[in-house]
């Protein structure tokens, strides 16, 4: 998910030998703790998300289910977020380059940040809508949902996300706000809060509520209830995790816009840092929840680990069983 880069966009001059338009410094210096935190998060998040992506790609290819394609797209956007925001924005910019970076680099990374954010959240919205149609309108779902259509929708979302990230090239750095925010900055921040938090969370609340009511009053057999229960649990956990982890950051942005200043109020400065750290957890926690909820995902992730380990011998019988069972090819067959 997107974090605000700790860099000034109004171009504070560092020395007379360096042009104003090429160098920018950040007044946000919090010591070594953020660098260690984001380094650990990147070191844990990239391998975990890579494993998740491989496992979900196998499940998507085996089962042909659109939900796995949406989860795969969500994982891909998390990987992009970690590379663009955690590595390029914080580790590279704060630690390696000591916050001295070209002007164009900052604003280009801003565009990529917001593009990755928009892709991540609206893929989650698509996943919610997909589960809503599948559970509440199953006949229509069978007609509308198939892998080719799902991949086209995902590609359209990523393309739209990149386009909608372009206006945020003019995003005013929140860390350097000695001047009052301009009208453009206010509009961008409100658009960001609505498109990234308020509108998606409203959709999550509405669709999840309808799904719960539909299942509560509908008549289902026990086996179907168990399968649906796991689906609903995973869906609600993904949306709830996003809602909880992003709430502090949204509140701090709006508070800063109208009430406080990170330059004048040290507490707000620290609060924004903590809110950004909490929000970034959203790029890493999904893997552990998938493992906790889904036996199928755990089994597939284990297959990926064993296939990559030089100390494990492949178990072709187990692989054949897990590959063919979702396709319905193992009925009345004993393996």
């Amino acid at each position: 998910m997107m974090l605000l880069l700790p860099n000034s966009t109004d171009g504070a001059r560092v020395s007379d030998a360096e042009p104003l338009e090429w160098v920018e410094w950040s007044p946000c210096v919090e010591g070594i703790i953020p660098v260690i935190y984001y380094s650990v998060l990147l070191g844990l998040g990239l391998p975990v998300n890579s494993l998740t992506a491989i496992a979900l790609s196998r499940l998507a290819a085996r089962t042909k289910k659109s939900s796995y394609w949406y989860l795969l797209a969500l994982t891909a956007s998390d990987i992009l977020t970690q590379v663009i925001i955690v590595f390029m924005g914080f580790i590279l910019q704060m630690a390696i380059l000591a916050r001295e970076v070209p002007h164009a680099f900052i604003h280009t990374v801003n565009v990529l940040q917001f593009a990755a954010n928009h892709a991540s959240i609206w893929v989650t919205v698509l996943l919610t809508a997909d589960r809503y149609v599948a559970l509440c309108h199953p006949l229509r779902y069978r007609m509308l949902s198939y892998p080719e259509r799902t991949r086209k929708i995902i590609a359209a979302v990523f393309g739209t996300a990149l386009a909608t990230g372009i206006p945020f090239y003019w995003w005013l750095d929140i860390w350097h706000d000695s001047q009052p925010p301009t009208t453009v900055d206010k509009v961008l921040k409100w658009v960001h809060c609505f498109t990234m938090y308020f509108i998606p969370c409203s959709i999550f609340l509405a669709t999840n509520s309808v799904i719960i009511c539909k299942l509560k009053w509908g008549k289902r057999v026990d086996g179907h209830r168990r399968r649906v229960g796991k689906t609903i649990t995973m869906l609600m956990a993904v949306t709830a995790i996003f809602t909880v982890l992003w709430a502090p950051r949204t509140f701090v942005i709006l508070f800063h816009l109208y009430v406080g200043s990170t330059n004048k109020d040290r507490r707000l400065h620290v609060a924004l840092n903590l809110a950004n750290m909490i929000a970034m957890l959203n790029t890493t926690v999904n893997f552990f929840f998938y493992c906790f909820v889904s036996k199928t995902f755990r089994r597939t992730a284990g297959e990926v680990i064993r296939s990559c380990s030089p100390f494990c011998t492949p178990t072709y019988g187990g692989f054949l069983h897990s590959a063919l069972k979702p396709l319905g090819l193992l009925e009345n067959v004993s393996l």
Side-chain angles (χ1 to χ4, degrees):
M1 316 308 287
M2 201 285 299
L3 297 177
L4 298 171
L5 288 181
N7 292 91
S8 170
T9 56
D10 64 350
R13 186 182 294 274
V14 178
S15 67
D16 295 336
E18 293 173 316
L20 176 63
E21 64 272 19
W22 290 107
V23 177
E24 297 183 359
W25 283 70
S26 171
C28 176
V29 180
E30 294 295 332
I32 196 64
I33 294 179
V35 177
I36 295 176
Y37 174 83
Y38 289 118
S39 298
V40 172
L41 198 64
L42 184 68
L44 173 65
L46 279 182
V48 161
N49 282 327
S50 298
L51 173 60
T52 304
I54 297 173
L56 289 174
S57 64
R58 291 189 179 186
L59 288 172
R62 295 173 188 174
T63 64
K64 311 298 181 183
K65 290 183 178 179
S66 59
S67 57
Y68 286 129
W69 286 105
Y70 288 126
L71 291 174
L72 178 59
L74 178 61
T75 304
S77 65
D78 285 342
I79 293 174
L80 290 175
T81 299
Q82 289 177 335
V83 172
I84 295 170
I85 298 176
V86 178
F87 177 70
M88 296 176 62
F90 283 94
I91 298 176
L92 179 64
Q93 197 168 319
M94 289 175 62
I96 300 177
L97 299 180
R99 296 168 298 282
E100 181 180 350
V101 294
H103 178 85
F105 175 83
I106 294 175
H107 295 287
T108 300
V109 171
N110 277 347
V111 172
L112 296 177
Q113 280 184 329
F114 283 97
N117 277 330
H118 295 168
S120 177
I121 185 57
W122 288 100
V123 165
T124 307
V125 171
L126 285 177
L127 174 63
T128 305
D130 177 83
R131 293 297 85 196
Y132 165 77
V133 177
L135 297 173
C136 299
H137 306 281
L139 296 180
R140 183 180 303 176
Y141 181 77
R142 292 189 185 97
M143 296 174 56
L144 297 177
S145 178
Y146 48 91
E148 292 78 8
R149 181 188 179 93
T150 301
R151 289 194 292 266
K152 290 179 181 178
I153 293 175
I154 292 173
V157 168
F158 274 87
T160 303
L162 181 59
T164 56
I166 294 175
F168 291 91
Y169 183 90
W170 293 274
W171 176 275
L172 179 64
D173 180 17
I174 202 170
W175 300 103
H176 195 282
D177 57 355
S178 57
Q179 300 297 326
T182 63
T183 301
V184 173
D185 188 51
K186 289 183 179 179
V187 170
L188 287 177
K189 283 184 170 60
W190 272 109
V191 168
H192 171 66
C193 290
F194 267 93
T195 58
M196 282 295 301
Y197 192 79
F198 294 121
I199 294 178
C201 289
S202 299
I203 295 175
F204 297 153
L205 177 62
T207 53
N208 289 343
S209 298
V210 172
I211 290 173
I212 292 175
C213 292
K214 183 80 172 181
L215 295 177
K216 182 178 179 180
W217 298 106
K219 295 181 179 179
R220 298 289 188 272
V221 297
D222 291 340
H224 182 77
R225 280 189 179 274
R226 286 193 296 269
R227 293 192 297 271
V228 168
K230 290 185 178 180
T231 300
I232 295 302
T233 301
M234 181 174 292
L235 173 63
M236 290 189 174
V238 170
T239 56
I241 288 171
F242 169 82
T243 302
V244 171
L245 294 182
W246 271 78
R249 184 181 177 279
T250 303
F251 173 79
V252 171
I253 288 178
L254 295 178
F255 183 86
H256 156 269
L257 190 60
Y258 291 101
V259 180
S261 168
T262 55
N263 285 338
K264 298 178 181 178
D265 191 340
R266 179 71 175 179
R267 292 172 299 178
L268 181 61
H269 194 113
V270 174
L272 183 59
N273 266 328
L274 292 176
N276 283 336
M277 291 180 179
I278 293 172
M280 276 305 296
L281 286 175
N282 196 46
T283 63
T284 306
V285 297
N286 286 341
F287 167 81
F288 302 101
F289 183 76
Y290 298 160
C291 289
F292 178 76
V293 172
S294 175
K295 181 178 180 181
T296 301
F297 180 83
R298 291 197 303 270
R299 183 173 62 245
T300 307
E303 292 174 5
V304 174
I305 294 174
R306 288 192 295 271
S307 66
C308 296
S309 174
F311 303 102
C312 295
T313 303
T315 55
Y316 297 104
F319 175 85
L320 180 62
H321 184 272
S322 60
L324 297 181
K325 185 177 180 180
L327 299 178
L329 299 180
L330 293 179
E331 296 180 359
N332 301 322
V333 176
S334 177
L335 287 180

